[in-house]
Amino acid sequence: MSTNRRMRRAAAVVAGIGIVAVLAAGCARGGGGGDRSDDGGAAASPGIDDTSITLGITTPLSGATAGPGTCTVAGITAYFGAKNAAGGVEFGDGKTREVKIEALDDEYDPQKAKSNYDQLKSSVFAMTAGLGTPTNRAWREAATADEVPQALIMTGDPIFSSVEESPWSLGFVPIYQNEGQAFGELLASSGDEHKVAILSQNDDYGEGYVEGFKKGIEGADNIQIVKELTYESTDTSVDAQLTELAGSGADVFFDAMSITPLVISSLQKAQELGWLPSWFLPSNTSSPTAILEPGGAAAFPGVYTVAFAQSASAPTFAESEAGSTFLSDLKQYGNYPDTPAFPHCVWSYQVGATLDQVFQKMTEPTREDFMKQLRSVSGYTAPLMLDGSSVDTTQDGQPAVSTVQVQKYNGKGYAPAESWG
Amino acid sequence: MGTFIQLIVDGLSTGSVYAALALAIVLVNQATGLINFAQGGMAVLSAYIAWALNGVGLPLIVAIVAAVAISFVLGAVIERFLVRRFERGDPDTAVVVTVGLLTLITGVCAWIWTYNNRQFPSLFPLDTVSIAGAVVSLRSLGTIVVIVVIMLVLQALFLGTKLGLALRAVAVNPASAAFSGIPVGRHLMIGWGLAASLGAVAGVLVAPQLTLTPGMMDSALVYALAAVILGGLTSPLGVVVAAWLIGVLENLAAVYVPFIGHDLKIAVPFILIFVVLIIRPQGLFGRRSVVRV
């Protein structure tokens, strides 16, 4: 009897949820754009009116990737917070709008990212800045089908930067292949014989770096890869891999990792083992204060990384005008009191500045015009960019930023490395 | 040969991290009959407290002792005002409460200290010594020694002291324990307090290695639970041996068993659990529970 009652109650709950879902879907459809307005101009897309525009973000705000994820929201919120406080952003259609941001937590879980997107798609004008390859991939096809912009997202996966494959998407940061290739080319150009050991994350991230590196050393007979291992992003330790790699006799170590504590412990482990090769680290795990100092990186003959943006944790950063403006915006509007240990705060601040450029070009408040203008920014030097890097969204197959500089750790921060050694 | 020994030593060192947390889980279980999924989160909170006290100028060892004491109080308070409401009810509800507690504590840590990685100073020097061709860091050795000491103390507590016996009695049958004159509520608080203190020790041992973040213990908790199941829920000695076994076998399998490799090594503890549970459902060192009818 009680089982029957429980069954009936469960059925009622399921039916209730079903009704709510149908109603919600109906409401969502009502918000669709693309019609012509009464005055003959293009009708505004969802999430924009004459005084404001709303942007959506899905990114990890809790869990293992929460550090970079919260930084991502803080950076863009800081940029537009300062803009809003100064009166708003001037659009190409002559109107000045306040930029609002709605950020949801996806815990780096693709399924949650997709459901966040579903929740936001009809109330925001565009999705932007969110961090993560698997999470952004989870709703890429839906964004394409719904014609919702997935603009300037934080992933180095090339799929987002191909117009044919992802007409409504565009990545911001350089693709992993570009970073790996830049390092490979620098090493090959040294002319000396080098043995390389590689440890990479067992997913698109690690594979992209290794692919790029191999392309960079193609045809160079002075470079030999002596050992290649992988690790899982869920691992608590990579000591066993380091022990194995140390035995390979490599003098260069390519550590394609995205997990901060594991990079620190691998720097420490190599020193314990007495293995002191030159290191290469990806741009998102090479922070001088958060990783290299605690890892004791000064013990190695050279630690290299690639970058396009200044590091907020470099000693001279806060003294520069742009740096101090960034830090005070981040504190005041981004609700981020500390100097960030992750580069993602600076990157998403630059995403904000790039979107500002796009908004200035938009003559219609539509997603179609936004995408058109998004692909027309060229030679724009966003705040805090390194000399030689710029935003160029016009190259098909490349993200907004594709030029990177190889840099070498000098014990405190980084200096450009034009040659090896 | 050098590599082989190195892998074993590294495995013992990683295993000790899992063991520290596993011991705290066993302690709560022995004292209250619950599995506390928030144990990792509580250990992180304790480590943050130690870090903050160290940051305001207390010497590291004083900061750690203070954090251990504060954690005892916190653990007892959590038991008294939160967990007790669910102790007599459905055990599933209590599990959900501890999972919720984990989320809450992680959120509180992130809110106070953000997700930035904090470098926690190590109790032990970063130097290394060479043992039979393997390089062993003093930090790893120190961690292993501390774990062994805690294990022995706990083993003695449960098997050789009145308090230990009372704690176990309260966990197994609170009603009978109360009839025998044991103040049940106070013992439950003591059990949680002790486990929180032990968690604090685990936290400060692990933090220098993993760097302090709110989610620091998340992955370690999975391994710790594996060690608890494998070693037997009732045996401090068992969980430490199981944690070491997991650490060492994982390393060896990754390097010497080609089809496992570094990518599949996370499966090793779970295969081990399946095998052990089929042969010995109570775990390697656990006691079989007998119900008198």
Side-chain angles (χ1 to χ4, degrees), chain A residues 230 236 244 269 272 294 336, chain B residues 10 18 116 119 135 210 262-263:
Chain A
T230 58
T236 48
E244 225 183 325
K269 186 69 194 171
E272 282 177 13
Y336 205 96
Chain B
D10 290 346
Y18 311 148
N116 273 350
Q119 201 50 41
V135 187
L210 298 180
H262 292 288
D263 306 331

Side-chain angles (χ1 to χ4, degrees), chain A residues 54-321:
Chain A
T54 308
L55 303 173
I57 298 175
T58 171
T59 203
L61 299 176
S62 62
T65 332
T70 43
C71 219
T72 299
V73 176
I76 188 167
T77 313
Y79 182 84
F80 284 119
K83 271 275 168 187
N84 290 341
V89 173
E90 219 172 289
F91 279 61
D93 61 1
K95 301 200 166 81
T96 302
R97 295 182 172 92
E98 183 193 359
V99 181
K100 296 177 184 164
I101 288 167
E102 254 189 76
L104 296 181
D105 181 13
D106 61 32
E107 296 171 32
Y108 209 70
D109 173 356
Q111 228 167 344
K112 287 212 174 88
K114 169 72 168 60
S115 107
N116 287 348
Y117 161 75
D118 286 337
Q119 194 181 326
L120 290 171
K121 67 183 179 189
S122 47
S123 62
V124 302
F125 178 76
M127 298 289 291
T128 185
L131 161 78
T133 300
T135 41
N136 274 303
R137 266 183 178 253
W139 53 278
R140 183 188 65 95
E141 284 176 11
T144 307
D146 301 337
E147 303 190 343
V148 174
Q150 183 178 30
L152 307 179
I153 47 171
M154 302 286 179
T155 157
D157 187 334
I159 195 170
F160 296 98
S161 303
S162 151
V163 177
E164 196 190 328
E165 279 183 293
S166 314
W168 287 81
S169 309
L170 183 63
F172 183 72
V173 292
I175 55 178
Y176 309 130
Q177 285 81 347
N178 286 357
E179 290 199 8
Q181 189 174 346
F183 179 64
E185 282 168 1
L186 184 82
L187 191 62
S189 70
S190 72
D192 304 329
E193 302 272 325
H194 290 293
K195 287 183 181 168
V196 184
I198 300 176
L199 179 58
S200 61
Q201 193 163 301
N202 189 18
D203 58 14
D204 289 344
Y205 176 90
E207 281 164 21
Y209 272 101
V210 176
E211 184 192 317
F213 178 75
K214 287 182 176 167
K215 198 171 168 202
I217 59 167
E218 226 167 38
D221 49 13
N222 57 332
I223 308 299
Q224 188 195 352
I225 297 175
V226 287
K227 189 108 190 166
E228 259 183 88
L229 292 178
T230 58
Y231 75 98
E232 298 297 312
S233 56
T234 47
D235 284 352
T236 48
S237 161
V238 286
D239 286 358
Q241 283 94 326
L242 264 293
T243 301
E244 225 183 325
L245 291 169
S248 69
D251 65 324
V252 176
F253 179 34
F254 186 175
D255 195 18
M257 284 186 156
S258 74
I259 313 288
T260 305
L262 288 181
V263 182
I264 297 173
S265 72
S266 62
L267 283 161
Q268 292 177 345
K269 186 69 194 171
Q271 288 171 67
E272 282 177 13
L273 293 168
W275 181 42
L276 299 174
S278 292
W279 282 59
F280 175 70
L281 290 170
S283 56
N284 63 344
T285 42
S286 56
S287 161
T289 53
I291 292 178
L292 301 189
E293 265 177 43
F300 298 94
V303 177
Y304 297 82
T305 189
V306 285
F308 62 89
Q310 294 176 33
S311 168
S313 53
T316 52
F317 183 87
E319 292 157 20
S320 69
E321 198 189 325

Side-chain angles (χ1 to χ4, degrees), chain B:
Chain B
M1 192 62 194
T3 305
F4 181 75
I5 295 173
Q6 186 71 54
L7 289 171
I8 290 180
V9 173
D10 290 346
L12 287 177
S13 159
T14 325
S16 298
V17 172
Y18 311 148
L21 205 52
L23 280 173
I25 293 171
V26 166
L27 183 52
V28 161
N29 182 265
Q30 283 293 76
T32 66
L34 273 181
I35 299 264
N36 179 15
F37 286 91
Q39 197 68 63
M42 288 165 67
V44 172
L45 178 62
S46 306
Y48 268 114
I49 293 172
W51 179 80
L53 291 175
N54 184 226
V56 296
L58 286 185
L60 181 61
I61 189 75
V62 180
I64 289 175
V65 172
V68 168
I70 293 170
S71 302
F72 182 91
V73 177
L74 268 179
V77 167
I78 288 175
E79 193 283 330
R80 176 66 187 84
F81 293 102
L82 182 71
V83 183
R84 188 167 300 180
R85 287 160 206 278
F86 305 95
E87 262 161 9
R88 297 289 162 80
D90 188 346
D92 297 347
T93 314
V95 164
V96 173
V97 169
T98 64
V99 172
L101 192 59
L102 172 66
T103 315
L104 178 71
I105 292 176
T106 308
V108 167
C109 288
W111 180 60
I112 302 176
W113 291 287
T114 77
Y115 281 100
N116 273 350
N117 297 62
R118 312 287 176 179
Q119 201 50 41
F120 194 95
S122 178
L123 265 177
F124 308 102
L126 282 173
D127 301 336
T128 55
V129 288
S130 180
I131 300 175
V135 187
V136 187
S137 70
L138 292 181
R139 194 168 70 186
S140 299
L141 274 184
T143 308
I144 294 172
V145 170
V146 172
I147 294 306
V148 170
V149 171
I150 293 175
M151 176 189 78
L152 293 176
V153 169
L154 281 188
Q155 196 85 8
L157 171 78
F158 284 130
L159 297 180
T161 67
K162 247 183 176 174
L163 175 65
L165 191 64
L167 285 172
R168 279 163 57 205
V170 167
V172 172
N173 193 337
S176 299
F179 283 132
S180 321
I182 299 173
V184 173
R186 197 194 305 164
H187 277 81
L188 289 174
M189 280 169 74
I190 292 174
W192 269 77
L194 282 178
S197 306
L198 183 50
V201 176
V204 298
L205 280 178
V206 175
Q209 206 163 334
L210 298 180
T211 78
L212 191 53
T213 59
M216 175 180 81
M217 286 289 199
D218 289 358
S219 315
L221 183 67
V222 176
Y223 285 94
L225 287 169
V228 167
I229 295 168
L230 190 62
L233 208 44
T234 52
S235 167
L237 173 70
V239 296
V240 172
V241 171
W244 283 343
L245 207 62
I246 290 172
V248 171
L249 285 183
E250 218 187 23
N251 272 359
L252 294 181
V255 175
Y256 295 111
V257 185
F259 74 89
I260 289 184
H262 292 288
D263 306 331
L264 263 184
K265 70 174 187 177
I266 192 166
V268 170
F270 299 101
I271 296 169
L272 214 59
I273 287 175
F274 285 136
V275 174
V276 169
L277 289 190
I278 288 168
I279 304 165
R280 276 183 68 85
Q282 68 271 37
L284 286 175
F285 291 72
R287 279 188 311 276
R288 199 130 49 111
S289 68
V290 180
V291 180
R292 228 173 262 161
V293 195

Side-chain angles (χ1 to χ4, degrees), chain A residues 335-361:
Chain A
N335 192 24
Y336 205 96
D338 293 355
T339 300
F342 310 95
H344 304 75
C345 284
V346 171
W347 295 349
S348 67
Y349 192 76
Q350 294 175 331
V351 166
T354 307
L355 286 174
D356 192 346
Q357 295 292 308
V358 177
F359 292 156
Q360 288 174 32
K361 289 166 165 251

